[in-house]
Amino acid sequence: MIPEIDIRDYNYELPEDRIAKYPLDERDSSKQLIFKDGDITEDIFRNLPSHIPSDALMVFNDTRVVPARLHFHRASGAHIEIFCLEPYSPAEYNVNFAETRSVQWRCIVGNVKKWKGDVLYLTNPGASRDVDGMNLTARMVRREADTSIVEFVWDNRAPFSKVLEICGTIPIPPYLNRDTESVDLERYQTVYARLRGSVAAPTAGLHFTETVRKELSDRGVALETVCLHVGAGTFLPVKSERVAEHSMHREPFVVTLDFLESLSGRKGKVVAVGTTSVRTLESLYYIGVKCIENGCPGDVGQWEPYEREYAYTTEEALGALIAWLKANGLDELRVGTRIIIVPGFRFRVVDMLVTNFHQPQSTLLLLISAFVGGNWRPIYEYAMAHGFRFLSYGDSSLLFRATL
C-alpha cells in the first residue's frame, strides 16, 4: 500500500546563511553528527574510522560529475543555456561519450521559449583553439513536457566526453545561488570519482580523503563501489502536498558480480556513503525478486516496495541475481531504479548511512526519516542549534538505522 504522507510534515526553516556556499579548505575537517539509538553526539569527519565497525562493508558511489551545462546563443544573439540530463541516442553513457560526430541528449533548456528551432552556436568561441575547432552547435529535436531532446554536432572528431570537458561547466546546485568557480572543478567531485555520467555529485562522499579511506581499510573495513549516475531530479522539490503524487526520475546504475558476491556473503554492518548508494543497495533486493519470479532482472518502480509483502530473504534475492548473471556470462548488472524511500520502507541491506543535511520537503529528507525511524527532526534541530553547515558543501552525519 502506498503510504499516505503529507510533505508539509517534513518542512523546517533553513536560513540562507546556514547553506554552505563553498567547501572548507580541507575535505575531512567538516563536523560530523552521529545518531545512534536515539542519542546525538558530534565529532570531526576525519575521525569517522573510529565509529565504523572493523568488519563493516562500506559502499561508495564512484560516479563522476560531467561538465553538463553548456551556453549557446541564437544568430539573433539570444542566450540559451542547455543542461544535459542523460544520453538519449546512443542511450548508453559509455557509447554516447565515445561518439565523434553527433549525439542526442535529454536536456533542460533555459529560455526555451526564445528558441524557435533554429541552430544554436556555442557562446564565447575563441576562448581556446580547441573550442574554435569544434564548431559545436545544438539543434532542437523535440520538446517533451519539462525537458527537450537536443542534438549536438561538432567538427573535429573528438569524443563527446572531450567536447563536454572543453565546452561545458560543472553544474553546481542551484541553491548555491552563484556561478561555477575554479574551486568547484576539484571539490564538487569525490576523490574516488571514476565513471562519467552524473549531473550532480554524490555529496556525502565529498568529505572523504585518501587518508580517511586508508584508515578505514587499515581497520579492516571493506571498501566497495557501485555506480549510480545522479540526475538533476535530485534538486527537484516535492511540489504536491501528497507524496503519493510525486514522480521520481529514473537513475541508471551498475554493480559488478564481484560486488554482489561480497555483499551477499557479508556478516558485518553495511555502511552506505550517501543516499545514492542507499537507493542502489536497496533496489538490489527487488531486482533479485524479479529474477526469482520473472527469470530476469528489470528496473525498480517507484512504489514497488510498498505494493505487496515480500517473503523472500535478502540472501535469496541476491543469490538469484548472482545466479542470473553467471548463467548469462555477465560480470556486471546494468539497470535502473525509480525507487522512493519514505517512512514505512523496510530496509533490507543498509545498516549505517553517511550523509549530508538535506533540503526541506525533499525526497532525501523522507529517506532520512525512514532510516532513523521518524526521528529526523531532533537530528536537524541539533544540527541547526550547534552550528552545522547544510546541503552539498555542508557538514556530514553518521546515522545508525533504527531497529524495528
Side-chain angles (χ1 to χ4, degrees):
M1 179 181 296
I2 296 177
E4 288 292 330
I5 297 173
D6 191 327
I7 195 60
R8 293 172 296 184
D9 294 334
Y10 296 84
N11 195 15
Y12 70 93
E13 185 177 351
L14 178 58
E16 184 72 15
D17 62 2
R18 301 306 296 275
I19 299 173
K21 298 299 182 69
Y22 292 90
L24 297 176
D25 291 340
E26 297 177 354
R27 287 179 182 266
D28 59 5
S29 64
S30 63
K31 298 174 68 172
Q32 181 158 60
L33 179 150
I34 301 165
F35 175 84
K36 183 178 182 181
D37 299 330
D39 294 328
I40 300 174
T41 57
E42 63 178 273
D43 202 344
I44 301 299
F45 187 86
R46 63 173 57 100
N47 297 330
L48 173 70
S50 65
H51 300 287
I52 304 298
S54 59
D55 62 347
L57 170 66
M58 181 170 279
V59 183
F60 299 82
N61 182 3
D62 65 359
T63 186
R64 188 171 187 83
V65 182
V66 297
R69 181 171 283 128
L70 296 160
H71 297 273
F72 289 88
H73 64 272
R74 298 180 62 201
S76 65
H79 175 255
I80 307 290
E81 180 182 292
I82 298 180
F83 186 11
C84 299
L85 296 181
E86 61 183 8
Y88 183 79
S89 178
E92 284 289 330
Y93 279 84
N94 57 338
V95 178
N96 192 289
F97 283 134
E99 287 292 319
T100 59
R101 291 183 182 274
S102 67
V103 294
Q104 293 182 7
W105 277 64
R106 183 177 303 279
C107 304
I108 294 176
V109 179
N111 288 336
V112 68
K113 293 181 179 179
K114 294 184 178 180
W115 191 0
K116 305 304 180 183
D118 49 328
V119 173
L120 301 182
Y121 302 90
L122 189 69
T123 298
N124 295 327
S128 76
R129 184 175 300 174
D130 291 335
V131 172
D132 279 346
M134 283 182 177
N135 295 321
L136 179 64
T137 60
R139 180 182 66 87
M140 174 77 74
V141 177
R142 65 179 176 275
R143 292 177 61 177
E144 296 183 353
D146 295 333
T147 64
S148 302
I149 306 302
V150 177
E151 181 179 44
F152 300 102
V153 179
W154 62 100
D155 286 345
N156 69 345
R157 301 300 300 273
F160 189 60
S161 59
K162 187 68 172 179
V163 174
L164 286 179
E165 287 176 13
I166 292 175
C167 302
T169 58
I170 292 291
I172 60 173
Y175 47 67
L176 296 184
N177 291 320
R178 63 175 177 83
D179 293 332
T180 301
E181 299 179 24
S182 58
V183 66
D184 302 308
L185 303 182
E186 175 190 358
R187 297 298 299 277
Y188 196 62
Q189 201 82 264
T190 63
V191 297
Y192 49 83
R194 189 170 65 90
L195 299 174
R196 295 182 298 252
S198 282
V199 299
T203 54
L206 297 180
H207 305 280
F208 283 86
T209 60
E210 291 299 350
T211 299
V212 171
R213 282 165 54 87
K214 183 178 185 303
E215 289 181 6
L216 285 162
S217 184
D218 288 347
R219 282 177 55 84
V221 177
L223 309 183
E224 296 279 0
T225 60
V226 296
C227 183
L228 179 142
H229 291 317
V230 188
T234 191
F235 297 138
L236 298 179
V238 179
K239 295 182 179 179
S240 53
E241 292 181 1
R242 295 177 64 251
V243 175
E245 297 172 358
H246 179 73
S247 179
M248 291 288 285
H249 56 293
R250 179 184 185 271
E251 292 175 310
F253 70 84
V254 181
V255 296
T256 66
L257 175 60
D258 287 345
F259 167 75
L260 289 170
E261 290 181 327
S262 177
L263 178 65
S264 179
R266 175 59 49 178
K267 301 302 181 183
K269 301 291 187 183
V270 175
V271 186
V273 177
T275 57
T276 60
S277 296
V278 174
R279 293 203 300 276
T280 301
L281 292 169
E282 294 297 332
S283 292
L284 291 174
Y285 173 83
Y286 300 97
I287 297 169
V289 169
K290 293 177 190 293
C291 289
I292 295 173
E293 297 183 346
N294 305 328
C296 63
D299 282 5
V300 180
Q302 176 170 332
W303 296 107
E304 202 166 322
Y306 311 89
E307 291 171 348
R308 63 182 174 95
E309 294 292 328
Y310 292 85
Y312 308 105
T313 66
T314 303
E315 291 72 22
E316 288 172 334
L318 293 176
L321 185 49
I322 291 168
W324 183 86
L325 287 170
K326 289 182 174 180
N328 287 274
L330 300 173
D331 59 7
E332 64 181 21
L333 171 72
R334 292 180 174 271
V335 71
T337 184
R338 288 187 170 85
I339 194 170
I340 186 170
I341 297 179
V342 301
F345 182 85
R346 178 182 174 185
F347 289 90
R348 300 174 184 270
V349 179
V350 180
D351 302 295
M352 300 165 64
L353 169 60
V354 178
T355 189
N356 286 10
F357 296 93
H358 304 289
Q359 288 179 289
Q361 299 190 161
S362 64
T363 58
L364 302 182
L365 188 55
L366 291 170
L367 184 154
I368 299 305
S369 180
F371 196 76
V372 298
N375 291 311
W376 73 270
R377 195 172 290 279
I379 293 171
Y380 276 61
E381 288 176 347
Y382 181 99
M384 194 66 68
H386 289 77
F388 280 72
R389 302 157 67 247
F390 281 62
L391 306 187
S392 295
Y393 278 142
D395 292 318
S396 177
S397 66
L398 174 63
L399 309 178
F400 288 70
R401 177 164 57 85
T403 55
L404 297 178

